[in-house]
Amino acid sequence: MAKSGRHFLQIPGPTNVPDRVLRALSRPTIDHRGPEFAVLAKEVLSGVKEIFQTSSPVVIYPGSGTGAWEASLVNTLSPGDRVLMFETGHFATLWRDVATRMGLQVDFVAGDWRHGVDPAVVYAKLADDRGQAIKAVCVVHNETSTGVVSRIADIRKQIDAARHPALLLVDTISSLGSIEYRHEAWGVDVTVGCSQKGLMLPPGISFNAISEKALAASKSAKLPRAYWEWEPMLRDNKAGFFPYTPSTNILYGLREALIMLREEGLENVFARHERFGRATRAAAKAWGLDIVAVNPAEYSGVLTAVMMPDGRDADTFRQLVLERFDMSLGTGLGKLKGKIFRIGHLGDFNDLMLAGTLGGVEMGLKLADVPHKAGGVLAALESLASESLESVS
Ligand SMILES: Cc1ncc(COP(=O)(O)O)c(C=O)c1O
């Protein structure tokens, strides 16, 4: 069937790529060993530090987030090292799998996929580890499969309270540039990030922000590494180059995305996403549908995972919404498959795009005969209209 108007890409990443970024991406590819490239690389390598809120180096890989997960582990750890991980959802489980395959011994704290990491459990686990065998604590900041945020600053405090030297590795793949995050102030050792969500870029590049402590650990870490090795990256990056072919055009896009985020101001970007979260939760509440996150301190401004009433298949509903309204909603992942759908409200996104998104969901619920109450869109509009838009300049 012929389609008119724009597709609504409301999965929690990859997100809508703004026209300004699309135009930047479409520039001719240049020699990645020439002087023009060095200017671009230096600009983005320095600019991206603002997004991680750090003054220490950030490396940029041509690769997806999974590669950057692997990089964070192989650069800092040795075969057989113990790491502490938490089952907050599908992505935390996949990161655990990467660690296991790399030959690490993972202490995986079981979870119900509805809560973030409990800082008190971090304390208890580390205080118990008298021989300091645990070398790293790995946490997913925004669990994209559930819409639950773990409180990184509180986790850091508990690591300090336990006086434990473990490194803190954090996945910010779906929170970077959309939920408040401070690599340096929160004492994170490696932050893993990605292009295709809050940074409003296509998939294709990923990041490691590296603390001094992590850099020191990399000198003695013994896991095998080649492509992901920090040392040649950091060496060549100083002059604006890469040890292998970088994603030249995505770096053009990154330069533009960084300008856009700077124009809006990070604090305003975070506040905008929080508003979207509040409005979407107001809609879900009015529909009478539960969301996956249970603790208000862990609600996500990036996505809302909505639970289907018993016996209703979320993917059948999603398919109807796609066919009828040309809108992609996020599927349930892992053990939530078929049980939930996820509404992405991040990136290059505004109030009216959210109104359209929720309109599509509400019409879809009616057409699919999913038991719910009407009025979700209205509740969201009231939430959006009742909040002032004071911005920090
Ligand atoms: C929180 C989180 N971590 C890791 C990943 C994996 O990233 P990629 O699919 O780019 O390898 C994703 C992907 O959506 C994610 O949301």
Side-chain angles (χ1 to χ4, degrees):
M1 199 170 67
K3 296 190 169 84
S4 57
R6 274 191 104 138
H7 174 69
F8 269 59
L9 182 64
Q10 297 319 133
I11 58 174
T15 61
N16 299 291
V17 180
D19 293 347
R20 276 172 68 174
V21 171
L22 286 174
R23 279 195 293 274
L25 292 167
S26 71
R27 291 176 57 138
T29 303
I30 53 171
D31 173 10
H32 62 286
R33 304 195 194 280
E36 194 184 337
F37 180 82
V39 174
L40 167 68
K42 282 188 186 162
E43 190 178 333
V44 293
L45 284 163
S46 144
V48 80
K49 291 183 190 178
E50 289 169 34
I51 308 301
F52 287 91
Q53 307 212 42
T54 184
S55 56
S56 56
V58 178
V59 296
I60 306 179
Y61 294 109
S64 86
T66 303
W69 267 344
E70 183 169 326
S72 69
L73 301 172
V74 296
N75 278 286
T76 54
L77 299 164
S78 298
D81 275 355
R82 272 184 67 195
V83 296
L84 182 59
M85 295 179 131
F86 300 84
E87 189 198 359
T88 51
H90 184 68
F91 290 104
T93 307
L94 291 181
W95 198 8
R96 185 274 312 263
D97 293 346
V98 173
T100 307
R101 280 147 81 177
M102 289 294 120
L104 298 166
Q105 273 186 63
V106 183
D107 182 351
F108 197 47
V109 179
D112 64 359
W113 291 39
R114 298 193 71 175
H115 292 83
V117 173
D118 181 349
V121 174
V122 176
Y123 176 82
K125 285 276 178 188
L126 295 182
D128 239 22
D129 179 34
R130 299 221 166 73
Q132 301 188 334
I134 296 172
K135 298 299 176 205
V137 177
C138 304
V139 179
V140 175
H141 185 209
N142 182 68
E143 188 33 272
T144 325
S145 61
T146 62
V148 175
V149 180
S150 286
R151 288 158 288 159
I152 305 301
D154 292 349
I155 292 168
R156 172 78 259 168
K157 280 190 200 130
Q158 295 309 318
I159 298 175
D160 293 344
R163 295 172 190 276
H164 198 288
L167 296 166
L168 176 58
L169 313 187
V170 179
D171 168 341
T172 62
I173 285 176
S174 58
S175 56
L176 191 68
S178 33
I179 298 177
E180 185 189 18
Y181 184 78
R182 298 171 188 274
H183 173 88
E184 196 160 290
W186 294 351
V188 179
D189 293 298
V190 186
T191 300
V192 176
C194 228
S195 54
Q196 71 267 26
K197 311 216 186 219
L199 291 186
M200 308 174 285
L201 294 165
I205 59 171
S206 54
F207 309 93
N208 275 183
I210 306 165
S211 75
E212 270 177 33
K213 188 172 158 190
L215 200 57
S218 74
K219 308 285 180 216
S220 55
K222 301 225 162 24
L223 278 175
R225 54 190 194 255
Y227 184 79
W228 304 114
E229 174 134 38
W230 289 341
E231 199 273 324
M233 272 288 213
L234 294 170
R235 182 196 62 213
D236 291 6
N237 281 176
K238 283 199 182 101
F241 297 108
F242 284 66
Y244 38 72
T245 312
S247 306
T248 314
N249 288 55
I250 303 190
L251 298 183
Y252 280 139
L254 175 59
R255 178 163 66 185
E256 192 62 31
L258 292 174
I259 294 170
M260 290 176 69
L261 289 168
R262 207 173 292 136
E263 282 171 3
E264 185 174 355
L266 268 189
E267 296 302 317
N268 299 325
V269 172
F270 301 151
R272 176 165 56 82
H273 284 85
E274 280 176 23
R275 285 179 78 241
F276 296 151
R278 281 191 291 274
T280 308
R281 289 190 298 275
K285 192 170 173 201
W287 290 325
L289 299 178
D290 285 336
I291 64 166
V292 174
V294 286
N295 178 358
E298 298 175 336
Y299 284 161
S300 174
V302 155
L303 78 139
T304 303
V306 181
M307 311 214 329
M308 287 301 268
D310 279 348
R312 296 308 179 117
D313 180 49
D315 287 339
T316 308
F317 161 73
R318 286 177 50 255
Q319 193 183 339
L320 180 145
V321 170
L322 177 62
E323 283 165 9
R324 192 62 196 262
F325 303 112
D326 198 17
M327 176 162 75
S328 297
L329 295 169
T331 186
L333 294 166
K335 65 182 185 191
L336 293 176
K337 180 99 190 126
K339 297 192 165 67
I340 65 159
F341 63 92
R342 294 172 300 148
I343 305 172
H345 34 78
L346 75 157
D348 184 38
F349 198 62
N350 64 27
D351 288 10
L352 293 188
M353 290 162 90
L354 182 61
T357 301
L358 297 174
V361 172
E362 187 157 332
M363 287 188 284
L365 290 170
K366 194 170 161 71
L367 287 171
D369 220 7
V370 175
H372 73 288
K373 286 183 266 164
V377 174
L378 205 58
L381 297 184
E382 271 164 18
S383 166
L384 289 172
S386 68
E387 292 191 19
S388 67
L389 262 186
E390 276 164 41
S391 72
V392 190
S393 55

